[in-house]
Amino acid sequence: KILMRSAKSGAGERMTSAAQVLPAAAQAANTPTVAPSSELNPPEASPSGMERAKAVGAAVKKTAIKQCLPLGLVLAIIFGLAVPMLGATVASWEVIGRGVVQTLCVWIIFLISGMTLKTDDVTKALHAWKAIGFGFVSILFITPLLAPAVGALPLPLPPEFSIGFVLFCSMPTTINSGVALVVQAKGSFALALMLTVLTNLIGVFTVPFFLSLVLELGRVRISPVDLLTKLLVLILAPLVVGKALREAVPRVQTFVKEQKQRLSLTANFCLALIPWMKLSESQGDLVDAGGAAVALVIVIGLVIHFVYLAWNYAFARLVLRLPGDELRAVVIMGSQKTLPMAMAVLAALPDSIGAHGLIAVPAIISHLVQIFVDAWIATRWGQREPGLSKEPSPAVRLADDEPGTLDAASEGHVEMAPAQAV
């Protein structure tokens, strides 16, 4: 009996052990073999020095194209002060008493503006009559009222600097940069374009008389009729010619779409040439003014721009209660002043008014100040409410109207990894 019980007990233990081993073996057979991490994810080959150099070069080129106007203006200041002989020589080339290169640059700028102007986008903004009316009045009749106050300040600056601020404050809104910044801020593209077209066209007629009145208060006299005639030739004529070519010759529209970046670079290059020549002619006077005077000009430019921003934002938001996209367009466009028209007006002013190079300094610095400040504001607005703009694909349409500004207008996008996108 004892032997029988031992045999049965041993057989039961072997059966239990077998029952435990068989499932484990089956599970082990069904489990895939995991290769070492080094075999699953082989290390990627590190880029060569040539590939890294190409990547850096592409990044530098993209940044230079996107910021071509600020870079061009900074280089104009540097070369105008460092090598004044070259710029002064180019500026001295004249025909019938007019600077050949300077006049040609202004014509090219506004000819390109006319060629890139689309009628459809302007008409789309007509429904926003309240925003258009306020923006039009603010740009042409309210913000210029700061010019007499700035001109009357007892500043320790050359008198040409005060004239430069008066000139800049009297201008309509920007032609290219403002529209790009509105798109980046997710504002109304059509409204921004409408304000640009209206104020720059009407400004050709209002600026000469307003500027004449303000300068006469400072005992500086100019003929508004003569200035108006020169502006009609320098600004309105090439603008009309460019627009007529776009409407009459279908090939022009195709050319603008295909060469939008090159056209923009050409216009910005011409714009930078004008202050370069002016500064080169007045390099000695600017050096005599000193660095403290230039620093004060920067501070005044900041104050002027923040006053414009505060006024336009407060009235558009608290009084008119404009919707978000129209508000952002009105604030940005209503607070900016155009440099091309300022340089065109300066070219038409008589030499007796003062050194044109010194007059150009406050306009250039104030223009750079407004671009940098509004770029920061537009980026903040665009990131805060990325879905605010009600208009379909404004950045795409901007590529046709503002050549070369597409990158600056669409840089607010955020690239996500696949997992984040899901």
Side-chain angles (χ1 to χ4, degrees), residues 129-188:
W129 59 269
K130 188 164 60 173
I132 293 174
F134 169 69
F136 179 82
V137 174
S138 178
I139 291 169
L140 288 182
F141 300 103
I142 297 179
T143 53
L145 295 177
L146 195 58
V150 175
L153 290 176
L155 300 173
L157 295 172
E160 288 88 349
F161 281 7
S162 298
I163 297 175
F165 280 119
V166 170
L167 173 67
F168 186 73
C169 292
S170 305
M171 293 298 111
T173 190
T174 50
I175 297 175
N176 290 325
S177 58
V179 179
L181 290 172
V182 167
V183 173
Q184 188 172 352
K186 302 297 186 288
S188 173

Side-chain angles (χ1 to χ4, degrees), residues 188-402:
S188 173
F189 166 81
L191 176 58
L193 191 62
M194 171 68 82
L195 291 174
T196 296
V197 174
L198 282 180
T199 58
N200 278 273
L201 286 177
I202 304 300
V204 174
F205 300 93
T206 61
V207 166
F209 296 94
F210 181 84
L211 193 60
S212 174
L213 177 62
V214 175
L215 291 179
E216 190 171 354
L217 294 176
R219 298 180 182 179
V220 178
R221 294 187 177 183
I222 61 174
S223 173
V225 177
D226 291 344
L227 182 58
L228 173 61
T229 304
K230 292 177 181 178
L231 292 185
L232 290 175
V233 175
L234 287 174
I235 296 177
L236 193 59
L239 191 67
V240 171
V241 170
K243 179 60 177 173
L245 287 174
R246 179 183 178 91
E247 298 300 329
V249 184
R251 177 59 188 165
V252 172
Q253 298 186 25
T254 305
F255 173 78
V256 169
K257 290 181 180 180
E258 294 175 349
Q259 306 295 331
K260 55 182 178 290
Q261 188 178 87
R262 293 181 179 177
L263 287 173
S264 176
L265 293 176
T266 301
N268 289 330
F269 175 74
C270 292
L271 179 56
L273 282 181
I274 298 174
W276 168 63
M277 290 184 288
K278 298 295 185 183
L279 288 172
S280 298
E281 291 179 314
S282 305
Q283 183 259 6
D285 295 331
L286 185 58
V287 171
D288 293 339
V294 175
L296 184 57
V297 168
I298 296 175
V299 173
I300 296 174
L302 282 169
V303 172
I304 291 174
H305 191 58
F306 281 121
V307 169
Y308 286 164
L309 288 170
W311 151 252
N312 287 296
Y313 183 84
F315 196 91
R317 184 176 182 85
L318 301 179
V319 179
L320 299 180
R321 300 184 181 277
L322 296 178
D325 57 340
E326 295 179 10
L327 171 72
R328 299 181 182 204
V330 167
V331 170
I332 292 178
M333 301 305 297
S335 303
Q336 293 205 346
K337 298 295 180 180
T338 178
L339 186 61
M341 183 177 286
M343 294 296 100
V345 173
L346 180 59
L349 291 176
D351 294 336
S352 58
I353 198 173
H356 284 198
L358 291 182
I359 297 174
V361 171
I364 296 172
I365 292 178
S366 298
H367 183 78
L368 292 174
V369 164
Q370 72 182 12
I371 287 179
F372 292 133
V373 171
D374 289 352
W376 181 81
I377 294 174
T379 302
R380 297 275 295 181
W381 270 346
Q383 292 174 348
R384 187 181 303 172
E385 296 184 43
L388 182 63
S389 181
K390 300 178 182 178
E391 303 186 28
S393 304
V396 175
R397 295 204 315 271
L398 182 65
D400 297 335
D401 286 308
E402 301 294 340

